Amino acid sequence: MRIIVAGGDGFCGWPTALYLSEKGHDVSIIDNGVRRKIDNELHSNSLTPIASLEERVAKWEELTGKHITVYDGDLVHYDFLKEILRKEKPDAFVHFAEQRSAPYSMIDREHAVYTQENNVTGTLNVLFGIKEVVPDCHLIKLGTLGEYGTPNIPIEEGYIEIKHKGRKDTLPFPKQPGSFYHLSKVHDSHNIMFACKIWGIRATDLNQGIVYGLETEETQLDPVLTNRLDYDGVFGTALNRFIIQSTVGYDLTVYGKGGQTRGFLNIKDTVRCIEIAAENPADFGEFRVFNQFTEQFSVADLAEKVQNVAKEEGFETKIANLENPRVELEEHFYQAENTKLKDLGLEPHLLTEDVIRDVLRTVIKHKDRVIEKNILPSVKWK
Ligand code: NAD
């Protein structure tokens, strides 16, 4: 298949581009490099040193003979996007290219506006581009489990059957997002659903859980292919952040009581889920929703797991319950469905001690790169 990976320089997009290329697909990447610019803005960095995108794809071609075309540009620029769609004529458009940090979107008005303009306009442009240039193309869009919030009922995959005043219907599952970033994803989902309905295009919304891990088989082939690893209070996600904290002698910073429960998955499953979605496209006019995660944990569970493995590796670590910078429930019911991807063949890589140990050992190699003042949360919701 001809596949565009938008956001292919990022944490999820880069390993996905390599994985799809390895599987024999004709892959091209669109990325405007904004994630690297945000590192400069925040005086932060990836824990792992990452090569430029040009160096990355050149090394991939040198090692495997497989070519990945790179387009350096912004989805918000419609003429640029249309030109690429005309050139590439993709069968699938994998859309990772958004501002993905909840804290970043909560810094101030400018960052909230940037997040929503970038994400909502970019996705609208992709929808119009598919309609006008490549109407057969299957949109595979990264949403987030965070769109649903934490309702006191089980979370279904996209839709719920409701009986009301003697009548019955299947309706979109209610959305209760917890940040301006998560809201941008909900706005995207609504726009995509509407476009499928009125134009008959086909789309899969992957409501992804929090991704942990670092490398895939492909990124491990050479240090130039290494994936980025975020650990700061703005972009670092729970498990990866705890592992890094444990190696530099920091307390594992659990926000509030730590009962916040979320869905998680290994980066190795992210890349496979995209392949599954691409190989099993939605029907024309269908807005299909999968919950893309494999296990659920509370933040306190994760901190304990990391603490245990770190201890075995010689790092004594304390768990610190910080005042929660976010506004969220700290103890709640959580049960999300995740059968659709498994039914299509996903075989989960579960969170074992070995998986934590692997990331931890990689982190140790680069721990001199940690900028300690970036570890603690600096953005408050209120
Ligand atoms: P990332 O920030 O590492 O990667 C996003 C990439 O998109 C970056 O390389 C950035 O430069 C690029 N980009 C952003 N806006 C762009 C634009 N307008 N035009 C072109 N390129 C643009 O993020 P990630 O962790 O890889 O996440 C990828 C997607 O998966 C996001 O949509 C995110 O919301 C979703 N997601 C991620 C996680 C996670 O745990 N990482 C969890 C759930 C959902």
Side-chain angles (χ1 to χ4, degrees), residues 23-96:
K23 295 283 170 187
H25 297 293
D26 188 347
V27 175
S28 49
I29 287 176
I30 301 177
D31 203 296
N32 65 354
V34 69
R35 181 67 194 84
R36 293 175 189 248
K37 290 179 196 138
I38 290 176
D39 272 344
N40 295 339
E41 176 199 341
L42 300 176
H43 305 290
S44 192
N45 58 349
S46 159
L47 182 83
T48 44
I50 47 172
S52 71
L53 183 53
E54 290 66 29
E55 288 170 305
R56 283 173 151 187
V57 293
K59 177 58 79 179
W60 177 247
E61 188 158 348
E62 180 194 318
L63 293 175
T64 63
K66 294 176 195 295
H67 179 73
I68 296 178
T69 307
V70 169
Y71 296 99
D72 175 4
D74 196 325
L75 294 188
V76 168
H77 299 148
Y78 188 53
D79 291 345
F80 158 81
L81 174 63
K82 245 169 109 172
E83 194 47 45
I84 292 167
L85 292 175
R86 278 198 199 103
K87 251 197 217 158
E88 289 294 328
K89 298 192 178 51
D91 301 299
F93 189 104
V94 182
H95 181 8
F96 288 108

Side-chain angles (χ1 to χ4, degrees), residues 6-13 30-36 73-76 95-100 114 118-119 122 141-145 181 185 206 208-212 228 230 235 237 265:
D9 189 38
F11 171 63
C12 297
I30 301 177
D31 203 296
N32 65 354
V34 69
R35 181 67 194 84
R36 293 175 189 248
D74 196 325
L75 294 188
V76 168
H95 181 8
F96 288 108
E98 297 204 325
Q99 192 301 96
R100 72 109 173 116
Y114 164 73
N118 185 61
N119 296 1
K141 166 68 171 49
L142 271 292
T144 157
L145 264 189
Y181 153 69
K185 297 295 217 187
L206 295 171
Q208 183 169 241
I210 300 168
V211 185
Y212 61 82
R228 67 172 299 124
D230 296 310
F235 274 87
T237 50
L265 76 163

Side-chain angles (χ1 to χ4, degrees), residues 116-340:
Q116 295 213 351
E117 281 185 353
N118 185 61
N119 296 1
V120 176
T121 309
T123 298
L124 267 178
N125 283 348
V126 172
L127 290 170
F128 273 91
I130 289 177
K131 171 187 180 257
E132 290 173 6
V133 186
V134 280
D136 291 350
C137 176
H138 175 211
L139 170 61
I140 300 171
K141 166 68 171 49
L142 271 292
T144 157
L145 264 189
E147 292 183 39
Y148 301 118
T150 54
N152 202 28
I153 57 171
I155 295 171
E156 303 301 324
E157 299 201 59
Y159 298 92
I160 182 167
E161 197 181 285
I162 294 189
K163 287 191 194 123
H164 182 61
K165 295 189 175 169
R167 302 191 60 82
K168 216 167 64 174
D169 203 351
T170 300
L171 297 170
F173 196 90
K175 305 285 175 82
Q176 303 182 80
S179 73
F180 287 120
Y181 153 69
H182 290 98
L183 276 152
S184 75
K185 297 295 217 187
V186 173
H187 303 329
D188 283 343
S189 295
H190 287 150
N191 287 339
I192 301 168
M193 185 175 179
F194 182 71
C196 290
K197 192 161 73 180
I198 57 170
W199 297 332
I201 67 174
R202 46 186 178 172
T204 302
D205 203 5
L206 295 171
N207 283 339
Q208 183 169 241
I210 300 168
V211 185
Y212 61 82
L214 169 63
E215 304 288 13
T216 57
E217 273 177 38
E218 294 76 28
T219 65
Q220 266 168 328
L221 285 179
D222 189 281
V224 173
L225 303 180
T226 290
N227 200 12
R228 67 172 299 124
L229 187 54
D230 296 310
Y231 63 92
D232 60 70
V234 179
F235 274 87
T237 50
L239 185 74
N240 282 353
R241 189 162 44 84
F242 290 154
I243 292 176
I244 290 162
Q245 289 174 331
S246 72
T247 62
V248 290
Y250 254 71
D251 293 346
L252 309 188
T253 49
V254 168
Y255 301 163
K257 294 182 183 141
Q260 302 91 317
T261 303
R262 302 286 184 266
F264 287 81
L265 76 163
N266 191 311
I267 184 75
K268 292 180 177 156
D269 289 334
T270 293
V271 303
R272 171 73 179 127
C273 288
I274 302 295
E275 181 189 28
I276 290 174
E279 285 176 349
N280 301 275
D283 291 334
F284 287 98
E286 184 188 9
F287 175 64
R288 185 174 64 168
V289 184
F290 294 158
N291 291 345
Q292 179 168 312
F293 74 99
T294 58
E295 295 173 278
Q296 54 180 62
F297 300 103
S298 75
V299 176
D301 288 339
L302 291 181
E304 245 172 68
K305 280 179 190 290
V306 172
Q307 189 181 37
N308 291 339
V309 175
K311 192 169 179 192
E312 284 168 22
E313 297 292 302
F315 298 96
E316 284 291 342
T317 321
K318 283 199 286 257
I319 295 176
N321 291 80
L322 296 192
E323 186 190 337
N324 195 340
R326 304 181 178 213
V327 177
E328 62 187 0
L329 294 179
E330 293 174 7
E331 283 169 322
H332 56 87
F333 172 81
Y334 196 80
Q335 184 190 316
E337 282 298 320
N338 63 349
T339 51
K340 290 189 184 172

